[in-house]
Amino acid sequence: MVYDDYEFLPIWKKYWSQHVEPKCMYVIIHGSNRRLRRMVRGCNVIEMRRPPPYRQMEAARWTMLGHFVSSLTYMHDSVLYTDVDEIITLDPAVGTDVQDYILSRESDVTASYGLEVIHREDLEPDGFDPEKGVLDQRRLVRVNASFGKPSMVKKPIAWRRGGHFAYSDNIVIDPNLTAFHLRFFDMDLFRARAVRRRKTTLAPKGKNNTAGRAWRASDDGLDSMIASLHDMPIAGILPDDRSSYVDAIEKSKSLVTQNDQVFTKHKTHASPELYRLPERYEGLF
């Protein structure tokens, strides 16, 4: 799903066009936008009405997405949903065909290994060049289980807001699949996007009551957020052993019943340090 993310949609389309037929790529545009439609010619494009911001808008969006993805499971063997700033890759040490790998998963719901790409302007001073790959220009990541979402499904699904938790008791974490979250992959683009997002988060403030509440930060708040990322130590190369990531999630898993539905909840830990990506990831997207 995409709103006004002109920098992210070409990255998403270019990557997935290498693995999936365009007719099997569904792009939901939140509102009417000819520029975005032109970017994804050949894909299945749906323009979804975008109402004025209201208290439960984000929860309603995720309910709608669950229904839409569920409908696709009746016609496709597997369905993967991501927001436009998320890219799912297969670890090159395991293989190169991410489509076949996802299709081969047997669990009803599969979650990935979550990483955030972090732009350290002091170490990578150049702005993002769209003619080059993201991972050719950005090599630092933070491990963040919030973005290892249960996003690959074989049966009808419902997600909690943000897609971080699913209404399912059969979720398998596959650390061979890596989810790259790109919100911080270029700090100039992040700043500009955050300013735009302020205009879409006009609902009343308060805990858990507004779509994208993180986007409401003031300029000072954005600077503080970026400074905290710049201050994170770099611990070396990202470890290949991801068992501690999986164990931490599995040990904190619990089943929660809400409105007669059961969803799987777990702690969403993030690493206090950054890591450098192994060279094998270079050129993936």
Side-chain angles (χ1 to χ4, degrees):
M1 191 166 195
V2 58
Y3 176 44
D4 59 357
D5 305 294
Y6 305 109
E7 303 86 3
F8 294 90
L9 189 56
I11 297 169
W12 183 92
K13 185 191 178 188
K14 181 179 179 181
Y15 173 74
W16 283 112
S17 294
Q18 300 173 61
H19 302 285
V20 180
E21 291 182 86
K23 66 181 181 181
C24 293
M25 295 164 58
Y26 295 81
V27 178
I28 302 175
I29 298 175
H30 208 186
S32 181
N33 191 311
R34 291 182 181 179
R35 181 178 172 187
L36 292 176
R37 289 185 70 93
R38 288 195 296 269
M39 288 181 175
V40 287
R41 282 197 181 105
C43 300
N44 268 302
V45 180
I46 300 165
E47 287 192 342
M48 190 69 65
R49 173 181 177 265
R50 184 181 180 88
Y54 62 97
R55 182 185 177 103
Q56 296 298 333
M57 181 173 175
E58 188 68 355
R61 184 174 80 91
W62 278 96
T63 299
M64 178 273 295
L65 289 171
H67 286 301
F68 179 75
V69 169
S70 293
S71 70
L72 295 180
T73 64
Y74 292 98
M75 296 295 151
H76 297 272
D77 295 325
S78 293
V79 182
L80 163 65
Y81 173 79
T82 70
D83 277 337
V84 71
D85 58 358
E86 299 166 341
I87 300 289
I88 306 287
T89 71
L90 179 62
D91 187 333
V94 175
T96 58
D97 194 328
V98 65
Q99 177 183 244
D100 278 357
Y101 187 89
I102 290 173
L103 287 170
S104 71
R105 301 303 89 195
E106 296 181 354
S107 57
D108 292 345
V109 185
T110 302
S112 51
Y113 176 59
L115 296 178
E116 288 183 281
V117 179
I118 305 296
H119 179 202
R120 280 279 300 267
E121 295 166 292
D122 54 331
L123 301 177
E124 298 170 332
D126 293 337
F128 174 64
D129 182 350
E131 298 300 317
K132 300 177 182 178
V134 172
L135 299 186
D136 296 336
Q137 303 173 70
R138 304 289 184 252
R139 307 294 298 165
L140 295 173
V141 295
R142 171 170 65 173
V143 180
N144 193 332
S146 290
F147 299 110
K149 299 178 182 180
S151 57
M152 290 154 275
V153 302
K154 288 183 174 291
K155 294 182 178 180
I157 189 69
W159 286 295
R160 299 271 291 170
R161 184 171 61 182
H164 303 290
F165 304 118
Y167 287 95
S168 172
D169 58 2
N170 182 21
I171 299 175
V172 174
I173 305 163
D174 190 334
N176 291 329
L177 292 165
T178 302
F180 288 94
H181 189 248
L182 302 182
R183 179 167 63 158
F184 297 118
F185 91 107
D186 185 272
M187 289 306 178
D188 284 341
L189 294 180
F190 167 68
R191 291 184 183 96
R193 192 184 188 204
V195 170
R196 296 198 305 269
R197 284 293 184 270
R198 287 178 192 160
K199 299 177 182 179
T200 69
T201 55
L202 302 179
K205 295 183 180 181
K207 185 177 180 181
N208 295 329
N209 74 346
T210 301
R213 63 187 183 278
W215 294 114
R216 284 200 306 260
S218 64
D219 288 345
D220 288 344
L222 294 176
D223 290 341
S224 177
M225 188 184 304
I226 292 169
S228 68
L229 294 171
H230 282 195
D231 289 341
M232 293 178 71
I234 299 173
I237 302 295
L238 183 70
D240 288 337
D241 184 357
R242 298 169 181 178
S243 57
S244 61
Y245 173 94
V246 176
D247 290 345
I249 293 175
E250 293 291 350
K251 289 178 181 178
S252 67
K253 270 185 177 180
S254 61
L255 296 179
V256 179
T257 301
Q258 186 179 61
N259 299 326
D260 297 323
Q261 288 183 296
V262 175
F263 71 92
T264 301
K265 187 176 183 179
H266 61 80
K267 292 182 179 179
T268 53
H269 58 279
S271 65
E273 63 275 303
L274 303 180
Y275 295 95
R276 297 188 186 279
L277 275 175
E279 290 186 4
R280 66 180 184 271
Y281 283 92
E282 192 170 333
L284 277 185
F285 66 90

